[in-house]
Amino acid sequence: MVRLVEESIEVRVGEARPEQFLWRGRLYRVTEVVDHWQERRDWWRATGGQSLSQVPLARDVWRVSASRGLSSAPGVYDTGVDGDPSSASDWLLLRTRD
């Protein structure tokens, strides 16, 4: 089952992909990047007073398998970033999968 989350997360990036992320005070370690793609954004809703030339038209999404620790079973998470992937603060946890 897919759950929509869309919450801000902090991500540690290595080799142009997420390696760890912090969500709700818990650190998740990425064990595998399952897929990577771009999704079109609702740019007309997210201008926030910016000019259209500064609003990203697409979001980079990484589907990752990640776990909270050695004893925790991994889950599948969709993480996304609208800007520079090397920035730790512009990331969102978009969806989780059971």
Side-chain angles (χ1 to χ4, degrees):
M1 179 164 116
V2 177
R3 285 185 274 168
L4 186 64
V5 178
E6 293 189 346
E7 292 180 19
S8 293
I9 58 173
E10 184 177 324
V11 175
R12 293 188 183 114
V13 178
E15 298 181 25
R17 67 176 194 86
E19 290 186 344
Q20 297 177 330
F21 61 92
L22 188 63
W23 177 44
R24 296 181 179 173
R26 294 187 173 154
L27 183 64
Y28 291 77
R29 184 177 59 86
V30 174
T31 56
E32 176 186 7
V33 173
V34 178
D35 203 357
H36 174 233
W37 68 91
Q38 285 193 332
E39 293 178 350
R40 300 286 288 170
R41 294 189 60 233
D42 296 340
W43 55 266
W44 58 91
R45 294 183 185 172
T47 60
Q50 297 175 317
S51 71
L52 289 179
S53 63
Q54 296 174 328
V55 175
L57 300 178
R59 169 179 287 154
D60 280 300
V61 179
W62 281 264
R63 178 164 294 153
V64 298
S65 176
S67 61
R68 289 191 305 227
L70 296 176
S71 62
S72 165
V76 177
Y77 305 88
D78 289 351
T79 61
V81 64
D82 293 335
D84 180 12
S86 64
S87 169
S89 62
D90 295 333
W91 286 78
L92 293 171
L93 179 61
L94 302 170
R95 296 170 287 269
T96 65
R97 297 176 184 276
D98 294 337

